[in-house]
Amino acid sequence: TQLEDDSGVLSSADAFSVEAPTVGQNGDHAFLCWRELDIGDGDTLPWTPHCSRKTDSGWVGIDFAGRDQVSPWWNPSVEVDADGRLWMAFVDLPTGIVARTTDPAQQVRLIRWEDGRGWEGVDDGAGDFSLATWPALALDDGQISWVAYGTADPVSTDRTSRHIRVQKVAW
């Protein structure tokens, strides 16, 4: 499977599988973000994140926040503000192991990318959740974001109570 446009293939030649991209657009600013299952040398086949931005000369890849692997459940929510910045919310769960209790390795992240500056917010995230699901993202005025995601609280040792958490984030 390959992801391509009129100017050629966007996905890696080593990709065993490519998922449909998440698209963010505002005016002339457009971004695609997706993950690929790469054919590795080891025992695992890692999912790698990728993003590209539309330019006058075609789609140009941008480094994905210093990460070379994401979880099998990675599914980002993206928005683009009027200044052309890409905003992304996702559950950062690199191990792919969904825990019933809070695990410091799991974070709900809100990051943004700006031309000339790169990614911001990669080291900060909300980690007070259990069994988090894919977040949804909305921008208010380009400086305030709303991030909503499913989470759970333990009710007993046998089950959890699911609910939606909405967080207002001022950048």
Side-chain angles (χ1 to χ4, degrees), residues 18-39:
V18 177
E19 292 188 334
T22 301
V23 179
Q25 184 173 1
N26 188 335
D28 293 335
H29 307 286
F31 293 85
L32 301 174
C33 293
W34 70 94
R35 66 183 185 153
E36 299 178 0
L37 186 60
D38 290 346
I39 299 172

Side-chain angles (χ1 to χ4, degrees), residues 151-167:
T151 186
D153 291 321
V155 174
S156 69
T157 56
D158 297 335
R159 70 178 193 89
T160 57
S161 173
R162 300 290 292 171
H163 60 276
I164 300 295
R165 173 173 286 170
V166 178
Q167 292 182 271

Side-chain angles (χ1 to χ4, degrees), residues 21-72:
T22 301
V23 179
Q25 184 173 1
N26 188 335
D28 293 335
H29 307 286
F31 293 85
L32 301 174
C33 293
W34 70 94
R35 66 183 185 153
E36 299 178 0
L37 186 60
D38 290 346
I39 299 172
D41 295 331
D43 295 333
T44 61
L45 297 174
W47 284 102
T48 57
H50 298 272
C51 289
S52 288
R53 66 184 177 108
K54 184 71 171 163
T55 67
D56 292 338
S57 59
W59 291 96
V60 175
I62 57 176
D63 176 48
F64 186 78
R67 286 179 169 73
D68 59 359
Q69 188 170 349
V70 291
S71 85

Side-chain angles (χ1 to χ4, degrees), residues 63 86 112-120:
D63 176 48
L86 171 65
R112 73 178 181 188
W113 181 90
E114 184 174 359
D115 191 22
R117 294 186 66 156
W119 291 100
E120 298 177 293

Side-chain angles (χ1 to χ4, degrees), residues 5-16:
D5 73 351
D6 292 339
S7 63
V9 176
L10 298 178
S11 56
S12 167
D14 292 332
F16 176 73

